[in-house]
Each structure stands twice: as structure tokens, then as C-alpha cells.
Amino acid sequence: MQRKIEVCVTPALLGLYDIKDSIVVVIDILRATSSIVYGIDNGANAIIPVANVEDCLNYTDNGYLLAAERNGSVVDGYDFGNSPFSYTKERVGGKTVVLTTTNGTKALHMARSRAKQVVVGSFLNLQSLSNWLKTQDNDVLLLCAGWKDHFNLEDTLFAGAVVNAIRAGFTEFDDSCVAAEDLYLLAKNNLRAYISKSSHSHRLAALNIEEDVQFCLQLNICDAIPVLIGDNLVRLQLDQIPESSLTEHVN
Amino acid sequence: MQRKIEVCVTPALLGLYDIKDSIVVVIDILRATSSIVYGIDNGANAIIPVANVEDCLNYTDNGYLLAAERNGSVVDGYDFGNSPFSYTKERVGGKTVVLTTTNGTKALHMARSRAKQVVVGSFLNLQSLSNWLKTQDNDVLLLCAGWKDHFNLEDTLFAGAVVNAIRAGFTEFDDSCVAAEDLYLLAKNNLRAYISKSSHSHRLAALNIEEDVQFCLQLNICDAIPVLIGDNLVRLQLDQIPESSLTEHVN
């Protein structure tokens, strides 16, 4: 079977890709998609990504948890931002979280209207995501949320990790796949050290989120694959996949 | 002195960068900027990049050489395309070439109206370009022409080679600088083999331009730095730089 995998290094380039029959994996490692994966894995009913802080306010009276982050900090008056430590079983289990973040939500919304299916990736669910992607028939676009439409290292490294995990099932790769995979192979033995080369490592340090960064770089602590259904990110139901198939695809 | 260096991986992202006080280096390794560097080094009076094949026709009656390439091939009826082997002393010495190419011309035109200064880079003039950039005071944007607005490997590798050569004089680097430099360091011992991983290596093979590719990957066979003055790419005059300064900055 002919299958193509591509890496879109920033949402600003999404228009270049024909994704109507593709699975799009949205990637915002620090920290939106890591927190989304962790929250869904911890039993959140749904996470609703919204575009603006103002849009969150439509949900205030309905028992939703409100999460809003801008430029890395929790917005005043909201329940929490996008630190993964807020997305524990105790806080989000059985709840619905309404979330707006700088880059991740934007990428989710851009992909939603154009792709066949939109799922969420992070190092936390790398293996389950990769195993599932292998069992599908569609082309895959790995969409890096980036930083304000710029290329960023951590999202590209994760895209490279996915390429590396699933490449055997694909026949066509774009140049950004090659670059992302090679950067991942260079960085994988110490992701944290590699990301410290990033231009925004100073910004991250100023936000005092080192524990978050360390958390988001953990591999395979979650099984859940969040999938966008309408406005809601919910847990992808894998029941239809036989157990044997899952085992077979484990790296 | 605070100096910033950034890599713009495709012209589609140029709008993200504030370049009004920057030197922009336009990069289209296969093959436009390699041929431009070689042609200017071989004594062409000027090379005029134009946007469309039709624009070339405005120059037919004036003794210009006309070069037009689309999708990698010479356009019917033109003197030549963008194979560097056409830009020899014998063919272009003392002449003016009017050139339109798929990606390189577009990047040159996009940069022209917004940057402080636009110069042209290729592996052929890597060292002279890097030495000159070190002597300047402005920020530097390395602008990859890419392939139809997509990220491509060879332009990014060259951007990484420049970052690697001049980084000591700079204090700020964006994430694409880090990625480009690391990819270059990974590839530099065999650039040709690395580029064979490219998605368009099949396209290049189909064009039967292997000799061109090999030619364009040669290091430092040219001294000329083409600079855009009005509509014309001409040889940057380095007379004002003392000989000692040039020597001092040689790697």
C-alpha cells in the first residue's frame, strides 16, 4: 500500500498540504498536547479547545473546568492553564475542560475543518499513537504547533520520533520528515539537553516550568489518543482493534 | 555587539520576520543561486531575476542572454536555464543574463522590497560570503527558497553551513538555526549522500542533472558575492575591506 507521511513544521504552512483524506496529528509538546493527552488518559470526559480566552467564558455556568494560557502563564480567574500537573485524575476525572492556549488550539482548529481525522500527540503517548497510526490506511500529516507560527525544536523532535516509529509502513516522505527524524535521532538520548539549545529555553526558564518540561518529555506513560469529534477532544476508542494487532505493532 | 541570525525555511514564512535592518541571504542551492554565484564570479556584468517567463521577453532585443527554467527544465526558445555549466566565462563574461526560475527568483523578489540588503549564497561562495557577513553589523536572515514553498533539505543544509561558519559573531539564534546547523554537521562529510534522502531526489534523477548537483555541492570555488542593486544582481565590491581583515576572518 502507498502511504505518505509529511511534517508541517508550523501551522502557517498548513495550506500547502492536501489533507482531506489524511490523519493529522497535532503536536504542541510544551505544553498543550502533553496536557491534553494526560488529561484524557486520566479520565477527563472531554477537552474542548477554543480559540480565544473570551470563548472560554461561554462555558462558565455549566460545570466545566476552564483552562486558559497566554504566553506561558495561567490567565487570571481561570481554574488552570496548560501545566500537565493540573490534569490529574483528581482534578479532571469525569469532567470536561475548556482550554485555550497560544499555539496548540490554533493548530487544532486549523486542522479540524480540512482533515479526515485529527488526533493529538505527545511523548507521553508516542507508542500508542504510533501503533494506532500503523494500523490505519490513510496518509499522515504531523502538524507542529510551533511558536507563533515559527518552527520550533521540541515539536519537530516529536514529529521525528513518530516518523522513526512508523516509517516502515510508509512509502513516501517529505524533506521535513527526513530532517525531523534525523534531529530526533540526534536528540533522543537526552531530549532535555537538546531542547536547552532552543531559542525559547530562556523564556521557559523565566516561566519556572522546568518540572513541566521534564514531565512532557516522558515517554509512553499514557495510552490514550485524544481524537477531535466535533468540538470535543475525547478518547479514541480502540476496541475495534484486536489485541493481537496491538501487540504486533509494539516497537 | 548584539547580532541575531535566523533561518527562514521557506519564503512562505518570510512575513514572520522583521528584516528591514537585516541582510538577507537568498539560498536556492539546486540550482539558481549556485548558477548566479558562478555566473557573477565568471564576470557576468549582471544577472536580472524576473518573476515570470513572460517578463524575460521584455529583454529579447537588447543583447541580453535569456535564462528560463520551470520545474527543473529549460523553457523552449531560451538561451539556457539554470544549469551552472551554462554560466561559464565564455558564455556570460561581460554579458547580462535575465533569469527566471521556479523558486529562487521568487525568494529574491520577496526579500528585495523588505530587507536592508539582499545577497546570494551557495556552497560555491560559502567562505567568502561567511567572511563578509562576519564583518557587517546587521542581523542576518538566511532565506531558503525551498521547493514550491515547502521546506527542503539542500537549502537548509547550506543555511546550517553559514550558521556554523559565522556563529561566533552572533548572540541570538532561532530554533531553525539550531536545526539547520545540526543537520549540516550531520551531512557535511557527504552532502551528496545526505541529499539523496530528499523527497525530490527522484525528481532530480529524472531531470538527469547529476553533474549539476555535484557541481553545486562544491565548496568555495568562487569568491564573488552577488548583491541585489535595484533589479540587478551584481558583484559586491569588497574593496573597502582591508586585506588583513579578510585574512583574519578566513576559517
Side-chain angles (χ1 to χ4, degrees):
Chain A
M1 187 172 56
Q2 300 286 313
R3 285 184 80 192
K4 181 169 62 178
I5 182 164
E6 294 172 305
V7 174
C8 180
V9 295
T10 138
L13 297 177
L14 187 60
L16 298 174
Y17 298 86
D18 177 7
I19 53 174
K20 65 180 187 301
D21 296 319
S22 299
I23 298 166
V24 173
V25 180
V26 174
I27 302 164
D28 185 8
I29 296 300
L30 299 177
R31 300 163 283 172
T33 62
S34 300
S35 294
I36 290 166
V37 167
Y38 191 55
I40 295 293
D41 202 67
N42 276 330
N45 286 338
I47 295 177
I48 306 176
V50 297
N52 308 306
V53 172
E54 296 68 31
D55 293 339
C56 274
L57 299 175
N58 296 331
Y59 294 87
T60 45
D61 291 332
N62 300 302
Y64 295 105
L65 288 171
L66 302 186
E69 171 266 350
R70 277 297 176 271
N71 299 311
S73 297
V74 178
V75 177
D76 282 349
Y78 284 76
D79 296 311
F80 45 88
N82 65 358
S83 168
F85 291 105
S86 302
Y87 292 73
T88 56
K89 275 191 178 60
E90 293 68 29
R91 293 195 71 175
V92 304
K95 302 274 180 59
T96 294
V97 181
V98 180
L99 168 68
T100 177
T101 72
T102 310
N103 305 294
T105 301
K106 183 180 163 195
L108 282 160
H109 282 179
M110 287 179 71
R112 173 169 68 175
S113 56
R114 302 181 47 226
K116 179 181 170 68
Q117 193 166 29
V118 178
V119 297
V120 166
S122 73
F123 287 106
L124 308 180
N125 71 342
L126 170 61
Q127 184 165 314
S128 64
L129 172 69
S130 301
N131 289 344
W132 176 75
L133 288 171
K134 288 179 190 174
T135 65
Q136 305 303 299
D137 295 331
N138 298 89
D139 292 340
V140 172
L141 180 76
L142 304 169
L143 173 56
C144 300
W147 178 255
K148 297 186 177 178
D149 283 340
H150 285 259
F151 173 100
N152 86 15
L153 279 180
E154 66 274 13
D155 294 346
T156 305
L157 290 178
F158 176 74
V162 176
V163 173
N164 189 245
I166 71 177
R167 63 154 42 253
F170 290 77
T171 53
E172 195 179 329
F173 307 86
D174 69 355
D175 278 19
S176 32
C177 269
V178 176
E181 186 181 19
D182 279 343
L183 289 169
Y184 169 70
L185 293 173
L186 203 60
K188 71 174 188 174
N189 290 332
N190 193 338
L191 289 170
R192 184 64 192 93
Y194 195 83
I195 287 171
S196 71
K197 296 167 75 162
S198 165
S199 60
H200 61 182
S201 62
H202 296 300
R203 187 176 54 77
L204 294 174
L207 292 171
N208 203 17
I209 60 164
E210 179 56 30
E211 286 184 352
D212 285 12
V213 175
Q214 298 279 357
F215 188 92
C216 293
L217 299 180
Q218 296 174 100
L219 289 172
N220 308 322
I221 65 165
C222 299
D223 291 324
I225 304 168
V227 60
L228 200 55
I229 306 287
D231 289 333
N232 293 12
L233 286 162
V234 299
R235 188 177 186 121
L236 180 68
Q237 297 304 317
L238 297 174
D239 301 346
Q240 68 276 23
I241 304 176
E243 199 63 31
S244 61
S245 165
L246 279 173
T247 309
E248 179 190 334
H249 286 89
V250 165
N251 285 319
Chain B
M1 190 172 56
Q2 299 286 313
R3 285 183 79 191
K4 181 170 63 179
I5 182 164
E6 295 172 304
V7 174
C8 180
V9 296
T10 138
L13 296 177
L14 187 60
L16 298 175
Y17 298 85
D18 176 6
I19 53 172
K20 64 180 187 302
D21 296 319
S22 299
I23 298 165
V24 173
V25 179
V26 174
I27 302 164
D28 185 8
I29 296 301
L30 299 177
R31 300 164 286 171
T33 62
S34 300
S35 294
I36 290 167
V37 166
Y38 191 55
I40 295 292
D41 202 65
N42 277 329
N45 286 339
I47 295 177
I48 306 177
V50 297
N52 307 306
V53 172
E54 294 68 31
D55 293 339
C56 275
L57 298 175
N58 297 330
Y59 293 88
T60 44
D61 291 332
N62 299 301
Y64 295 104
L65 288 170
L66 302 186
E69 170 267 351
R70 276 296 175 274
N71 299 311
S73 298
V74 178
V75 177
D76 283 349
Y78 284 76
D79 297 311
F80 45 88
N82 66 358
S83 168
F85 291 106
S86 301
Y87 292 73
T88 57
K89 276 191 177 61
E90 292 69 28
R91 292 194 72 176
V92 305
K95 302 274 179 60
T96 294
V97 181
V98 180
L99 167 69
T100 178
T101 72
T102 309
N103 305 294
T105 301
K106 183 181 163 194
L108 281 161
H109 281 178
M110 287 179 72
R112 172 168 68 175
S113 56
R114 302 180 48 226
K116 179 181 169 68
Q117 191 167 29
V118 179
V119 298
V120 165
S122 73
F123 287 106
L124 309 181
N125 71 341
L126 170 60
Q127 185 165 314
S128 64
L129 172 69
S130 300
N131 288 345
W132 176 74
L133 288 170
K134 288 180 191 174
T135 66
Q136 304 303 298
D137 295 331
N138 299 90
D139 291 340
V140 171
L141 180 76
L142 303 169
L143 173 57
C144 300
W147 178 256
K148 298 186 176 179
D149 283 340
H150 285 260
F151 173 99
N152 87 13
L153 279 181
E154 67 274 13
D155 295 345
T156 305
L157 291 179
F158 177 74
V162 176
V163 173
N164 190 245
I166 71 177
R167 63 154 41 254
F170 290 77
T171 53
E172 196 180 327
F173 308 86
D174 68 356
D175 277 19
S176 31
C177 269
V178 175
E181 186 181 18
D182 279 343
L183 290 168
Y184 168 70
L185 293 173
L186 204 61
K188 71 174 188 173
N189 290 331
N190 194 339
L191 289 169
R192 183 66 192 91
Y194 196 84
I195 287 171
S196 72
K197 297 167 74 163
S198 165
S199 60
H200 61 181
S201 62
H202 297 300
R203 187 176 55 75
L204 294 174
L207 293 172
N208 203 18
I209 59 164
E210 179 55 30
E211 286 185 352
D212 285 12
V213 175
Q214 298 279 358
F215 188 92
C216 294
L217 299 180
Q218 297 175 99
L219 289 173
N220 308 323
I221 65 164
C222 298
D223 291 324
I225 304 168
V227 60
L228 200 55
I229 307 285
D231 288 335
N232 293 13
L233 286 162
V234 298
R235 188 177 186 122
L236 180 68
Q237 298 304 318
L238 298 174
D239 302 346
Q240 68 277 22
I241 303 176
E243 199 63 30
S244 60
S245 164
L246 279 173
T247 310
E248 180 191 331
H249 285 89
V250 164
N251 287 318

